[in-house]
Amino acid sequence: MSGLLCFSSESFATSSHVAKDDEQETVLVTTVNNSHHYIANIQMDGDGIGIGVYPGYVEVPMCCVSAKKDWSRPVRIYFQWEAEFSQDKGGMLFKPDSEDMIVANFQENKLDVLKKLKEEKIKPVICVIFRDVDKVDLDFGRSSEDCEKRSK
């Protein structure tokens, strides 16, 4: 199952997690949820990047993280799992609002994608791809649709 979970990025333009300096160059972030669990309150190194994503959905690009970040360094992805109960696994999988953090890196070939997009004067979108409860991949794309394709 695949689809777009749409939220207005305009509503985030006035949020407190957006850079206060309007002149600061920023990059939009798209969250792709390929796990089997609902993910909420997603942050990248402390910047809010998503409200919540159902399994199999792609979130429209959210505002914003600094474009000047050194993407060769590890990134911390913070998020919450929605409470989930499984009879076949013997009980509670996730407690309500249980918080988690995964450290992820852009692989070298992904940094090459960023370089190519910049050469083409295309503003990149960061793709945060949840694979499972303990795996997040990072990529760069042209749009949320591109992030969805890259997540396959």
Side-chain angles (χ1 to χ4, degrees), residues 64-92:
C64 305
V65 295
S66 173
K68 300 190 187 299
K69 181 171 176 47
D70 179 0
W71 296 114
S72 66
R73 299 183 54 102
V75 175
R76 286 181 173 80
I77 307 295
Y78 299 91
F79 54 96
Q80 290 179 319
W81 297 109
E82 188 68 21
E84 202 169 309
F85 185 82
S86 173
Q87 298 235 340
D88 61 330
K89 298 211 178 181
M92 186 70 73

Side-chain angles (χ1 to χ4, degrees), residues 57-68:
Y57 280 78
V58 178
E59 196 170 47
V60 296
M62 295 292 185
C63 191
C64 305
V65 295
S66 173
K68 300 190 187 299

Side-chain angles (χ1 to χ4, degrees), residues 30-74:
T30 290
T31 305
V32 180
N33 186 356
N34 286 342
S35 80
H36 298 287
H37 312 284
Y38 180 79
I39 303 166
N41 299 325
I42 308 157
Q43 296 182 12
M44 177 185 285
D45 285 342
D47 292 320
I49 61 170
I51 297 172
V53 186
Y54 287 97
Y57 280 78
V58 178
E59 196 170 47
V60 296
M62 295 292 185
C63 191
C64 305
V65 295
S66 173
K68 300 190 187 299
K69 181 171 176 47
D70 179 0
W71 296 114
S72 66
R73 299 183 54 102

